[in-house]
Amino acid sequence: MSSIHLLPEHLVNQIAAGEVVERPASVVKELLENSLDANARHVDVTLVHGGVKLIRVADDGSGIARDDLGLALARHATSKIGSLEDLEAVTTMGFRGEALASIASVARVALRSRRHDARHGSEVRAEGSVVSAPEPAALAPGTSVDVEDLYFNTPARRKFLKTEATEFGHSEEAMRRVALARPDVGFTLVHNGRTQIHLAAGTQQARIAAVLGDEFVAASRVVDAVAGTLRLTGLAALPAFSRASRDSQYFFVNGRFVRDKLLAHAAREAYADILHGSRHPAYALLLEIDPRGVDVNVHPSKIEVRFRDSRAVHQFVYHALARTLAANAGAAGIAGTSAAAMIGVRPSYRDDGRPALQGSLGIAQPQAAYYAMFAAQTAPNAWDTPQAASDPDPGSAGEAGTMRGADAPPLGFALAQLHGVYILAQNATGLVLVDMHAAHERIVYEKLKDGLDAHRIATQALLIPVTFAATRLEVATTEENRDTLAELGFDIAVLSPAALAVRALPSLLAAGEARDLARSVLAEIAEFGATRVLTERRNELLGTMACHAAVRANRSLTLTEMNALLREMEETERSGQCNHGRPTWHQLSLIDLDKLFMRGR
Ligand code: ADP
Ligand code: MG
């Protein structure tokens, strides 16, 4: 090994580019954001060969002065912040000053610009580490950036590029996200000479309709809620909405598209009370928050954020959404007043956004080891088998005598089902309340995890494959990730450039909706790549899969089925919390109950 030395600047930029410039779509995103920061009213994006040959982004924004053109391409050069105070209250999309430098280190870049007060424009070109001197250029006021031959000098990265269709699909999605956040700006997207997106500036609703479709808008309710410095606007689809095309879950924080667990969780919770069939809510929601209350400098691509008061944000989003949905859902009479809400056991959040160990009644949750002492007698499949209803019932009154015995099951025996959501059971300590969806989800999740660890997720071929209309990106993702899909237990066939067929599923999930399930797995792979999905994002993926399969609220269960679930919970490790961090069950001891009634004992 040689002695320590500073890396050449060009190499530093290429290393940074690894994080910022993952694929053509990341270039599109960064350039679009620069145009918005320059107050553009209209932005045109032109791509050739999925953006690998050419990405051109032209805007009518403020422009860059001739003498600043070279600086714009330098690392850590930005016009957007100048101090730590600025950083903490940043309102622009960019501020790190590294996008253009990173892009220029892995592609040939031409930057042309003209300020509105300038008589003509200027241009600089960058190739490798060499930036040319500014030369006169003819263009209207605004800025135009050409990025050609992406990764021409980094063949290792070039190898990671997918097919033209996949790369184009990602760029299209990047533009859709920006366009949803900024209805006041017009956009066009042209690929290989054909116009693919044309969006005129207009209202938020018109933009959402243009991007997500009229059907989505027709099935949605307007969200508009304010609390202190927080505001949530946008559209949330009622549960009846189901559409043959792509998943629609868009969350924006101060105009920035984010994939945030806390927000997604709040939304899922808000839908949980009314979502009978599909576990796939659709929404486009924009959260506005004082920029001091959110840290966007968590990740170079800024897709993740951190809230200062995450608990308040979660509560606000949950209530704003639940109220909107409940007010309009009609039939969903119990929305927002579930038993859990009434006895105050909604999970609370710590400031880092992770659920706090909860239990406002102060009851400890039994340990997995404790469960393990009790060998479950139930057949593992009783839960999924409808015939189980006619089996002799192990939890009927005759068992009450063994309730305090050494082999009494810790979660006791089921008494009844409440509102199609909760199971009430009696154990030695008192009353056990089980959220049946959350509990089943946890069981499926743990089984999937074990299956994947052992490289054998059991699959089940479908008698009749489930065919559905798919996006270009979904089709391309399927074609390119056969091995990953097989590892996860899926067999998906490409029927045409716009149709897929699910032929086999993980057996554990066979009761779920094949189309939605396949679609959300493909979305994860497209967003994060097969490698990350199988490594660092593995648990998220399995959580999503489990959620699709788990028993829905409002399904009535027999006592036998309920007891089978209780026994499986005892067998399953960590079943006290479902994989979104929600608790799956609660113990109310006789002492707790007595206290409720002020009954001295
Ligand atoms: P950042 O956006 O983080 O400041 P970039 O590398 O993306 O960093 O851009 C560097 C600088 O170049 C910006 O701060 C801005 O001053 C200028 N710039 C880039 N694109 C444009 C544009 N389309 N219009 C006007 N100025 C731009
Ligand atoms: Mg930028």
Side-chain angles (χ1 to χ4, degrees):
M1 210 188 294
S2 56
S3 57
I4 299 177
H5 54 274
L6 287 171
L7 293 172
E9 185 179 323
H10 186 57
L11 186 54
V12 172
N13 287 339
Q14 287 184 331
I15 292 169
E19 289 185 305
V20 186
V21 194
E22 215 182 320
R23 55 178 6 140
S26 11
V27 175
V28 171
K29 168 183 176 282
E30 292 294 335
L31 297 182
L32 281 172
E33 292 187 351
N34 279 349
S35 296
L36 297 178
D37 283 346
N39 295 318
R41 308 315 314 155
H42 193 92
V43 191
D44 293 315
V45 178
T46 309
L47 304 178
V48 177
H49 294 173
V52 178
K53 186 78 203 99
L54 172 74
I55 300 165
R56 171 177 297 157
V57 175
D59 66 51
D60 57 358
S62 64
I64 307 170
R66 178 183 182 276
D67 294 341
D68 283 349
L69 279 176
L71 210 49
L73 291 168
R75 188 168 169 76
H76 301 145
T78 179
S79 55
K80 298 168 192 175
I81 56 169
S83 66
L84 183 63
E85 288 85 79
D86 290 350
L87 174 61
E88 283 171 354
V90 70
T91 55
T92 50
M93 305 295 284
F95 55 79
R96 297 168 64 106
E98 61 184 7
L100 287 181
S102 300
I103 295 166
S105 74
V106 292
R108 294 181 238 271
V109 171
L111 175 59
R112 286 181 204 96
S113 197
R114 178 175 157 194
R115 291 190 65 90
H116 287 249
D117 53 8
R119 264 190 286 130
H120 57 76
S122 311
E123 159 178 352
V124 294
R125 294 180 160 272
E127 183 170 332
S129 49
V130 189
V131 180
S132 71
E135 284 172 18
L139 81 161
T143 302
S144 172
V145 187
D146 283 9
V147 177
E148 280 178 274
D149 302 323
L150 189 61
Y151 301 138
F152 77 99
N153 55 356
T154 44
R157 290 204 65 88
R158 208 183 166 100
K159 276 208 299 252
F160 282 99
L161 288 174
K162 306 290 187 186
T163 60
E164 191 175 316
T166 301
E167 295 304 340
F168 174 70
H170 282 283
S171 289
E172 199 182 19
E173 180 63 16
M175 175 171 255
R176 222 178 269 135
R177 290 171 180 177
V178 169
L180 279 172
R182 293 298 302 271
D184 55 320
V185 178
F187 297 92
T188 62
L189 174 62
V190 174
H191 185 216
N192 294 340
R194 284 181 55 188
T195 301
Q196 302 283 352
I197 297 183
H198 182 97
L199 298 165
T203 62
Q204 189 184 69
Q205 282 202 39
R207 177 57 57 86
I208 294 177
V211 177
L212 299 180
D214 293 330
E215 258 180 86
F216 171 84
V217 174
S220 296
R221 293 296 166 251
V222 176
V223 181
D224 194 349
V226 184
T229 57
L230 296 169
R231 180 164 187 212
L232 189 72
T233 57
L235 293 181
L238 291 174
F241 174 72
S242 81
R243 210 171 50 142
S245 62
R246 77 193 140 269
D247 294 351
S248 309
Q249 290 187 0
Y250 294 89
F251 237 118
F252 301 86
V253 174
N254 291 347
R256 217 183 276 289
F257 175 84
V258 296
R259 268 185 163 261
D260 182 79
K261 269 196 211 151
L262 178 97
L263 295 176
H265 184 275
R268 200 195 282 267
E269 284 282 291
Y271 272 95
D273 291 334
I274 60 159
L275 209 58
H276 306 302
S278 158
R279 282 288 297 183
H280 237 59
Y283 48 75
L285 295 168
L286 293 92
L287 177 71
E288 285 162 57
I289 176 172
D290 180 342
R292 284 175 191 79
V294 55
D295 184 358
V296 291
N297 193 20
V298 180
H299 187 268
S301 77
K302 311 182 191 87
I303 197 163
E304 289 156 34
V305 293
R306 205 172 285 142
F307 295 104
R308 193 152 299 190
D309 187 352
S310 54
R311 191 194 151 96
V313 171
H314 185 276
Q315 295 288 83
F316 168 68
V317 171
Y318 166 74
H319 285 294
L321 217 49
R323 229 176 296 125
T324 307
L325 293 168
N328 293 284
I334 60 161
T337 53
S338 63
M342 279 164 8
I343 56 173
V345 293
R346 270 200 187 282
S348 58
Y349 282 81
R350 305 189 310 219
D351 275 357
D352 60 3
R354 303 230 298 281
L357 256 189
Q358 65 91 189
S360 51
L361 297 170
I363 301 149
Q365 312 226 356
Q367 299 301 303
Y370 178 63
Y371 285 145
M373 288 162 50
F374 299 89
Q377 319 277 305
T378 2
N381 278 332
W383 174 244
D384 292 321
T385 318
Q387 301 92 293
S390 56
D391 291 345
D393 197 330
S396 53
E399 305 286 327
T402 63
M403 196 58 81
R404 284 169 198 280
D407 56 352
L411 293 178
F413 293 109
L415 300 168
Q417 195 183 5
L418 184 71
H419 278 292
V421 177
Y422 298 99
I423 294 170
L424 309 186
Q426 171 178 329
N427 68 356
T429 317
L431 178 67
V432 174
L433 276 168
V434 176
D435 177 334
M436 65 186 207
H437 173 80
H440 190 220
E441 190 174 332
R442 168 54 79 179
I443 291 167
V444 174
Y445 172 80
E446 293 297 341
K447 286 185 179 169
L448 280 174
K449 219 161 139 185
D450 290 346
L452 193 56
D453 281 344
H455 294 288
R456 53 178 168 80
I457 289 192
T459 55
Q460 181 171 322
L462 298 177
L463 214 52
I464 303 163
V466 176
T467 330
F468 61 94
T471 63
R472 268 181 294 238
L473 186 55
E474 287 169 338
V475 171
T477 307
T478 304
E479 272 170 348
E480 282 163 10
N481 296 284
R482 298 218 162 276
D483 293 351
T484 305
L485 289 167
E487 171 118 21
L488 291 168
F490 289 89
D491 177 6
I492 305 177
V494 175
L495 297 186
S496 80
L500 294 173
V502 182
R503 292 198 297 215
L505 289 176
S507 322
L508 278 167
L509 310 180
E513 230 272 64
R515 186 197 68 187
D516 285 354
L517 177 63
R519 181 158 270 165
S520 48
V521 170
L522 291 174
E524 281 283 308
I525 297 177
E527 178 87 34
F528 297 101
T531 317
R532 281 184 75 192
V533 158
L534 287 180
T535 54
E536 62 192 279
R537 296 201 49 91
R538 201 177 137 209
N539 294 353
E540 271 98 344
L541 177 77
L542 297 180
T544 308
M545 287 166 62
C547 185
H548 278 282
V551 65
R552 311 279 171 242
N554 286 304
R555 194 186 124 194
S556 59
L557 301 181
T558 62
L559 282 179
T560 309
E561 287 177 303
M562 290 187 243
N563 282 316
L565 180 67
L566 294 175
R567 300 297 80 80
E568 286 213 58
M569 288 172 68
E570 287 157 357
E571 259 189 295
T572 306
E573 249 190 299
R574 294 181 292 275
S575 74
Q577 291 226 333
C578 94
N579 30 14
H580 308 297
R582 278 197 283 151
T584 57
W585 65 275
H586 268 280
Q587 173 84 66
L588 284 173
S589 68
L590 286 175
I591 298 168
D592 295 320
L593 292 170
D594 288 344
K595 274 195 208 136
L596 279 178
F597 295 98
M598 300 180 193
R599 193 176 201 266
R601 271 166 76 93

